[in-house]
Amino acid sequence: MNDSVRDQYEAYPYPSRDPAEEVKRLVVGSPSNLMELNHYLFAGRRDFSRPFRALVAGGGTGDAAIMLAQQLADAGGPGEVVYLDLSQSSRAIAEARCVARGLTNLRFVTGSLLTLADLDLGLFDYIDCCGVLHHLKDPAAGLTALAGSLKDDGGMGLMVYGTLGRDGVYPLQEMLRRLGGERPLADQVALARRMLSGLPASNLFARNPVIRDHGGSDAELVDLLLHSQDRAYLVEEVAALVEGCGLKLVSFIEPLRYDPATYVKDPVLLREFSGLAPLERAAFAEKLAGNLKTHVFYVSKNMIEDTVATAAGRDAIPCLRVFQGPQLAKAVQRDLALKGEFDGLSLQFPLPRLAPAILPWIDGDTPLGTIQETLHDLDPRHDWGSFKAQFDQLYAVLNGLNHLFVRYPV
């Protein structure tokens, strides 16, 4: 990154975080949730009681590093998270959050991901890099540097900006740069606030319902509108970046966002979509939705094996990421449907008849075979075949919304 980018994050650490709030909540998200990355990168078979090294490249004020370190600590294994960032101000906030949680498995390093080879940090099982590559002059050089620090069976969770969902951002950036680009950053913030307060209703940025980051602190406004260097990607460009660095694109998150059938129900069109390759379907869905402001995705260094877990057998253990099974069962019992909120687009996804009976047994420890046997004891009609068909329908929705994953005993 250039000096102006580093100076920006020294003056306005991003995202805005208060270490005192660590006693109230753990900030969680995607990628890098331990359950989620196990599902997509290690086929649900990673044993976190064994050594596991993670790098958060561009750690900012610490969200991903704190989440990973806390979840690894909860798993009870000898895991280590290395935080890497250029900004001393951001690092200070992340370190304060770490102290507030009493974490001892988090190591802090100041530096650039572009110089990873010179930092002697070793190799990593997993690398998180969110909101960083799109701020580099050469994103491919950055991703190549990360790949060089990844173990052969490792993977990464990445996030870059999405082109279509950021409609109006770049013309506004250009205007603000033209008016105040040479002024101190604090003066640019004041100018941007004045500009935002008077945008005509016809302005593309004003009409974009999914971009609201600037409504928070000045740090959020600076990152969105006053950044000196950023670019956005279409699905095809994400794939080209990944493949050009010798990596495999595993999955976008949430998968249902990248499925045309989420947005179009016309049976004739659905038949046409069915003939598209997976990447073509994702690109088509992006254009249909028009609101993907970021792309969150997993990539693997293993180009041969499929790293995604599947609920294929009786020993598969379903795991809910956020919800508790009994509460979710109660919420969906009446309508047999689950709502999904995709940046202002509210959708309903139908669930199978057996969903309210299955969900209370999903606790992250009970395998599918045991769940089926329990339901069979209550009703002999629930043999493995009929149960599995119902579970697969439930899984398609909940996994597609990034709520349900699979792991296997280790």
Side-chain angles (χ1 to χ4, degrees):
M1 290 186 181
N2 59 37
D3 290 343
S4 62
V5 174
R6 183 181 62 247
D7 292 345
Q8 170 193 319
Y9 289 117
E10 291 291 3
Y12 295 94
Y14 177 85
S16 180
R17 293 287 183 255
D18 180 358
E21 294 185 354
E22 293 303 312
V23 298
K24 303 176 184 177
R25 62 164 183 163
L26 173 67
V27 177
V28 297
S30 295
S32 302
N33 178 289
L34 208 59
M35 184 189 309
E36 180 182 298
L37 69 87
N38 186 27
H39 176 96
Y40 284 107
L41 296 176
F42 301 102
R45 298 181 185 277
R46 181 73 198 202
D47 182 359
F48 292 106
S49 68
R50 296 170 45 228
F52 184 84
R53 299 193 75 230
L55 170 69
V56 180
T61 50
D63 282 1
I66 295 294
M67 176 180 69
L68 260 175
Q70 183 66 67
Q71 292 180 344
L72 283 170
D74 292 343
E80 179 191 35
V81 178
V82 176
Y83 164 107
L84 178 66
D85 202 282
L86 281 172
S87 168
Q88 295 281 4
S89 298
S90 297
R91 171 176 169 170
I93 294 171
E95 286 184 304
R97 295 174 68 184
C98 179
V99 170
R101 286 192 167 271
L103 295 169
T104 59
N105 58 351
L106 185 49
R107 173 185 172 193
F108 291 89
V109 178
T110 298
S112 167
L113 65 85
L114 293 171
T115 62
L116 266 172
D118 301 322
L119 293 175
D120 196 26
L121 298 177
L123 297 178
F124 296 91
D125 299 286
Y126 175 74
I127 296 175
D128 171 291
C129 187
C130 291
V132 178
L133 294 176
H134 52 228
H135 290 315
L136 300 178
K137 288 182 179 179
D138 186 351
L143 187 54
T144 299
L146 294 176
S149 292
L150 193 64
K151 292 182 181 179
D152 289 341
D153 62 348
M156 292 189 252
L158 307 172
M159 184 276 279
V160 296
Y161 292 144
T163 299
L164 301 185
R166 284 170 68 83
D167 195 24
V169 169
Y170 294 107
L172 189 52
Q173 279 188 5
E174 183 181 348
M175 286 189 290
L176 291 170
R177 196 174 295 120
R178 179 74 177 267
L179 290 177
E182 301 301 320
R183 303 183 189 184
L185 196 49
D187 292 347
Q188 294 183 50
V189 171
L191 186 66
R193 293 286 183 200
R194 296 183 71 89
M195 176 75 81
L196 288 170
S197 68
L199 287 177
S202 58
N203 178 268
L204 289 175
F205 184 86
R207 291 163 54 190
N208 187 337
V210 303
I211 297 291
R212 290 293 175 263
D213 311 53
H214 58 291
S217 71
D218 286 347
E220 276 66 37
L221 181 144
V222 169
D223 193 73
L224 177 67
L225 296 176
L226 298 175
H227 214 293
S228 62
Q229 189 169 278
D230 83 53
R231 61 153 297 175
Y233 289 81
L234 296 169
V235 160
E236 302 97 317
E237 294 169 331
V238 169
L241 173 66
V242 170
E243 292 166 11
C245 295
L247 299 164
K248 180 172 69 175
L249 180 61
V250 174
S251 180
F252 287 102
I253 304 297
E254 302 92 355
L256 277 175
R257 285 180 178 263
Y258 294 86
D259 185 350
T262 296
Y263 310 104
V264 173
K265 305 305 178 184
D266 185 304
V268 175
L269 291 176
L270 288 176
R271 285 195 296 272
E272 295 293 330
F273 295 148
S274 67
L276 299 176
L279 184 62
E280 292 178 305
R281 290 177 64 86
F284 212 103
E286 177 185 28
K287 294 175 178 64
L288 278 169
N291 68 345
L292 298 181
K293 61 182 180 181
T294 62
H295 295 298
V296 176
F297 53 100
Y298 285 100
V299 304
S300 173
K301 203 169 184 179
N302 191 328
M303 301 294 288
I304 301 173
E305 296 182 11
D306 189 355
T307 63
V308 182
T310 58
R314 302 177 69 89
D315 59 339
I317 301 171
C319 309
L320 286 164
R321 186 171 71 98
V322 177
F323 296 110
Q324 297 296 314
Q327 286 79 3
L328 185 55
K330 184 177 180 180
V332 304
Q333 188 162 14
R334 188 183 70 175
D335 298 327
L336 283 181
L338 189 64
K339 291 183 179 179
E341 293 292 333
F342 290 166
D343 289 318
L345 182 62
S346 183
L347 300 168
Q348 272 206 338
F349 299 91
L351 299 176
R353 172 185 52 82
L354 207 56
I358 296 173
L359 284 167
W361 299 99
I362 298 181
D363 57 9
D365 292 312
T366 305
L368 284 180
T370 302
I371 296 175
Q372 181 266 322
E373 290 166 4
T374 302
L375 296 182
H376 183 266
D377 289 343
L378 298 173
D379 186 340
R381 292 175 298 176
H382 301 320
D383 60 22
W384 174 252
S386 62
F387 164 83
K388 188 60 164 55
Q390 293 270 307
F391 176 82
D392 287 346
Q393 294 176 47
L394 176 65
Y395 176 82
V397 174
L398 293 184
N399 177 258
L401 294 171
N402 212 36
H403 296 324
L404 184 62
F405 309 109
V406 171
R407 72 174 183 88
Y408 284 86
V410 292

